[in-house]
Amino acid sequence: MPNRSTEMGEEHNNMEEFSLQTANNLLILAIGAFFVPLLCRPLRLPASIGEILYGILVGPYVFKLVELDHFCSLIGELGFFLLLFSAGLELNFHSIENSGPKKLASMGGIVAIIFAASYLCALLFQLQPFVVMILAAISIGLPIMLLQETGLGKKPFGQQVLIVGTIGEFVCIVAATFIAAWNTSGGFNAVFALSAVKMLLIFALAYVLLAILRSAVWWHPEYFGRVVAAHDPSEIGVRAGMALMFIMVAAAIHLGVDAILGAFMAGALFSYVFRAKGPLEMKFLSLANGFFVPVFFIRVGLEFKLDMALKSDWKLLFLLFISMLAVRLIACLALWDASSPTWSCRFKEALTASLILAAPLTLLVVFGNLGLKMGVITESFNAAVILLAVVSSIVWPFLFKLCVPWVGQKD
């Protein structure tokens, strides 16, 4: 019979080994989170792309420096929630409300045409239905950075891009949640109807929280002034945002709805209620982008199946790569509100807008993971989606910057 002290000694050694592994993993992740953006800047690469590549390098296929454990996976999951919360926080409700019904309908129409054209592409090339979400994915994160970098963010062209991106990202998140429910229930049946009701309950909860928060801010501005204060020792605003995020995530999970909707809705709620959120938004972005979101993207690289990606159907990848731009160009040519009535200027603005919207890095990664979790795509196809996300987020933004003079002088 084993000695009790021997068992305790073995348990202690296992804990030390686990702690050492975790410490080494955190060290390598922290080094990557710090150095990757510094290296990406002169290369003009988005930091998130560099972080995925760094994860591939230190992962099991190259240097084998990191063995992803539960603790590091948990940090990556928190980074994932903060990424979606930040996406909701970046929604510009001022631009949406000030754009007017006509322009808002036009920008919403662009999103609708992108989805319709993506569906037709999937039918034309006989691709699986989930590819529609890949082709139609619209993410606002990278376009915001590119618009700020090029000085187009405050100009009419940039504002239109932001409105399309805002509507598109919201529609994509909601559509992905419905697709997950449809896949889980196996079609249109009582189970799916129950899932739809649960999703409506999430929106109802969001509406109730919105009403409570707006009323509280209206009647007690002296208390809620601390939430958006630039200097607050207790950082009440950050705590409130984190609490709201976890409330919505927990509600979504308890209702059996995908957590991405809860995290995104929390950010959107916060953005809608606290319009003058300048300092607070910077604090959230600092918290998220300073460590947790980079760890999420590094984890994506660690889990990236390099061998499967190299065996991908390169013709299919090229087809998806070109189709992502084509569906956006069709939509923008149809409804883009150009600053000049001439066809050449209209085409240039539509092409430039299509290029900036054709790099939905964040949502491609999210949708790839979601499709894998639902079982509608294979690990090799998920690897191909991540590879597509990396390539599109390098090529299309580079071409967008070349086209900036076409729109920068006219807005």
Side-chain angles (χ1 to χ4, degrees):
M1 189 171 181
N3 192 319
R4 175 64 178 167
S5 60
T6 304
E7 289 181 352
M8 291 179 65
E10 290 178 354
E11 184 178 349
H12 178 70
N13 289 335
N14 288 336
M15 288 179 65
E16 282 188 345
E17 183 180 349
F18 173 78
S19 299
L20 181 61
Q21 176 188 323
T22 302
N24 289 336
N25 288 346
L26 285 173
L27 174 63
I28 295 169
L29 293 176
I31 289 172
F34 175 70
F35 280 106
V36 166
L38 299 178
L39 296 174
C40 287
R41 189 174 183 85
L43 297 175
R44 298 185 178 277
L45 279 177
S48 47
I49 296 294
E51 286 150 7
I52 293 175
L53 295 176
Y54 177 80
I56 295 172
L57 285 176
V58 301
Y61 293 97
V62 187
F63 294 119
K64 302 179 181 179
L65 298 176
V66 175
E67 184 179 341
L68 204 58
D69 58 13
H70 176 72
F71 184 70
C72 294
S73 295
L74 184 62
I75 294 177
E77 196 70 17
L78 179 56
F80 176 61
F81 290 145
L82 283 169
L83 178 67
L84 290 165
F85 180 84
S86 300
L89 195 65
E90 288 171 343
L91 299 185
N92 193 332
F93 289 100
H94 272 307
S95 294
I96 293 175
E97 291 174 352
N98 295 334
S99 61
K102 184 178 179 180
K103 180 170 283 189
L104 190 60
S106 178
M107 299 299 100
I110 289 177
V111 174
I113 293 174
I114 289 174
F115 269 87
S118 299
Y119 178 72
L120 291 175
C121 271
L123 285 180
L124 179 63
F125 298 111
Q126 299 180 339
L127 303 174
Q128 59 175 298
F130 191 76
V131 171
V132 175
M133 293 303 300
I134 302 298
L135 293 178
I138 301 174
S139 180
I140 196 64
L142 191 55
I144 284 178
M145 290 189 294
L146 290 169
L147 290 171
Q148 290 174 347
E149 185 180 334
T150 54
L152 293 174
K154 301 296 183 183
K155 297 185 178 181
F157 173 85
Q159 289 298 303
Q160 287 188 72
V161 170
L162 290 176
I163 294 171
V164 172
T166 297
I167 297 172
E169 187 161 49
F170 183 81
V171 170
C172 285
I173 294 291
V174 174
T177 309
F178 269 94
I179 288 172
W182 180 279
N183 179 75
T184 302
S185 60
F188 188 78
N189 49 33
V191 177
F192 175 75
L194 180 61
S195 298
V197 170
K198 290 178 178 179
M199 277 182 275
L200 291 176
L201 287 176
I202 289 292
F203 284 98
L205 174 62
Y207 181 80
V208 170
L209 289 173
L210 174 63
I212 293 172
L213 285 171
R214 293 204 72 180
S215 298
V217 171
W218 175 263
W219 289 107
H220 300 286
E222 67 278 5
Y223 295 125
F224 285 87
R226 289 185 64 185
V227 174
V228 293
H231 303 288
D232 180 22
S234 300
E235 295 295 354
I236 293 297
V238 176
R239 298 186 191 200
M242 294 292 289
L244 182 61
M245 182 185 78
F246 285 120
I247 287 171
M248 294 299 294
V249 167
I253 292 173
H254 279 296
L255 289 171
V257 178
D258 202 287
I260 62 173
L261 182 63
F264 181 79
M265 288 296 294
L269 271 175
F270 214 81
S271 180
Y272 188 83
V273 174
F274 301 104
R275 300 298 181 90
K277 59 182 187 295
L280 182 60
E281 185 175 9
M282 293 306 299
K283 290 176 184 178
F284 272 116
L285 292 178
S286 297
L287 174 67
N289 296 337
F291 182 69
F292 293 102
V293 172
V295 170
F296 165 70
F297 282 114
I298 293 173
R299 192 188 76 172
V300 170
L302 289 170
E303 296 174 346
F304 181 68
K305 307 295 184 183
L306 183 61
D307 54 343
M308 293 184 179
L310 295 176
K311 296 175 184 177
S312 299
D313 185 343
W314 293 97
K315 290 182 179 179
L316 175 61
L317 270 177
F318 182 75
L319 176 64
L320 294 176
F321 178 71
I322 297 299
S323 297
M324 286 180 67
L325 179 65
V327 297
R328 286 155 179 77
L329 183 57
I330 291 169
C332 289
L333 283 174
L335 293 174
W336 190 261
D337 185 12
S339 60
S340 174
T342 64
W343 168 251
S344 61
C345 290
R346 184 182 181 85
F347 177 80
K348 288 176 181 178
E349 287 197 23
L351 176 60
T352 307
S354 303
L355 288 168
I356 195 174
L357 292 170
L361 171 66
T362 303
L363 283 190
L364 282 182
V365 172
V366 170
F367 288 167
N369 288 335
L370 182 64
L372 186 62
K373 186 170 69 174
M374 291 191 304
V376 297
I377 62 173
T378 62
E379 287 191 350
S380 60
F381 192 83
N382 181 45
V385 170
I386 294 174
L387 187 60
L388 175 68
V390 171
V391 174
S392 61
S393 297
I394 294 173
V395 176
W396 299 138
F398 173 77
L399 295 178
F400 161 76
K401 290 180 181 179
L402 296 181
C403 297
V404 165
W406 288 349
V407 297
Q409 296 175 355
K410 294 179 175 62
D411 289 344

